[in-house]
Amino acid sequence: MVPFQLDYLKFDAYQKVMLLRTILFTGAVQGLFQLLLLRAKNKYHAADYWLMGWLFLVSAQLFFYYENTAVHSLLTGIGGGLAFSIPLISAPVLYQYIRSLSLNKQPDRLILALYTLPWISYVIIILGTMVTYPGGLVITSGFPHFNAMIPDVVIYLFTYPMAIIPGGYAMMGLITLHRYQKSLPDNYSYTERINLNWLKLLVISILLLFIFLFGLIRFGTQQRLLRAENLFLYVGVVLSVYVFLIGYLGLRQNTLLLSATKDRPLTAHSNISYQKTGLDDAAVERIYLQLLSHMEAEQPYLEDDLSLTALAQQLGLNTNQLSQVINQKAESNFFTFVNRYRVAAVKIKLKDPAFAHLSILGIAYECGFRSKSAFNRIFKEQTGISPIQYQKR
């Protein structure tokens, strides 16, 4: 009876491993498929190239986990060590994708060199260890195994950077996304669908993953890691989910952001100094009156994608000057300033019998709002009541 139970447990564990490996293989193929979808686009944004690079690297990492967890793996030596180091290069690529998508910034040669420095250093350590200690390092089950001849300092150099460096890039990505989201009200009259909340949540989950791996390395033991033979199978499953979400949502988000990023100022205007705009108090007052006249006569707020740059071009100003005028005279940011006009237009049309055939949401769209949720939130913030309550009154 006992041998039968042992055989059943072994078979059950075997099925679990095979299921996990199937997910890894599917995730790797899926990443390459999404890369091809991005490659087939007619127009490219710079962020597309970084996303394609990340999809390729993570797909290669998933293929490595799939192959290295096989019974007879071929990647147990130098090839396995190089594949194990992929997160050191995929992490900065994902970070640069975030910078390109949000702040529209591209790295210079020095930054690119800094991106690759940890990976190059890691490769040198791998080659040096395998030459100095033949047979002392073997890559199996997706991570390195060391024998007693390997000094502890070498083990630390193999394990700690793999958790700290990708986690550090994830933290930098969060800071970049926070900076971007903070700048949105100063540059756009809408924030829905360009706030990148989906990417922020995914980066947070990636950061938590590497914090977990660091904790396991720091507070665990080599014996505990050896017992956790399926650890990187589960890590690979999580990466497969990231591949799907980032690839799919990134494919959609790029299309939405192309029109938004091409005229986006690179700084958040709420924090800049206005000493270099060349506007004194008299000029600010004159431009403000010009702005009010333009808003009443031309009604640019009816354009649902109105941005600070577009409005500045209509007035013959640069974005810093227009931002200064709005912040100082209207005592608000661009987002609030424009949506005040939209809410006022909605209130007028709700009272006008000529628009009785339209729903409240239909009137909101007529007045420049892009979504029901944004309209309800902004209307209540500015009036203290919901659109339905206002209509009943």
Side-chain angles (χ1 to χ4, degrees), residues 319-373:
T319 53
N320 285 2
Q321 291 172 333
L322 180 57
S323 179
Q324 176 184 359
V325 170
I326 293 174
N327 288 349
Q328 291 183 352
K329 299 300 294 183
E331 297 182 349
S332 69
N333 54 40
F334 178 76
F335 177 87
T336 303
F337 175 76
V338 173
N339 282 294
R340 283 175 186 166
Y341 281 91
R342 290 172 176 166
V343 169
V346 169
K347 291 163 69 175
I348 291 173
K349 291 183 177 181
L350 284 175
K351 298 175 183 178
D352 191 341
F355 296 93
H357 64 287
L358 292 178
S359 65
I360 295 178
L361 186 58
I363 291 175
Y365 288 152
E366 287 268 340
C367 296
F369 286 100
R370 298 182 64 147
S371 71
K372 179 180 179 180
S373 60

Side-chain angles (χ1 to χ4, degrees), residues 58-100:
V58 176
S59 294
Q61 185 178 353
L62 291 174
F63 275 125
F64 160 66
Y65 289 153
Y66 174 80
E67 197 281 335
N68 198 240
T69 51
V71 176
H72 301 289
S73 173
L74 300 177
L75 297 175
T76 58
I78 294 177
L82 295 177
F84 181 72
S85 68
I86 288 177
L88 293 180
I89 198 68
S90 64
V93 169
L94 180 60
Y95 169 65
Q96 183 54 47
Y97 168 66
I98 294 171
R99 292 183 80 237
S100 180

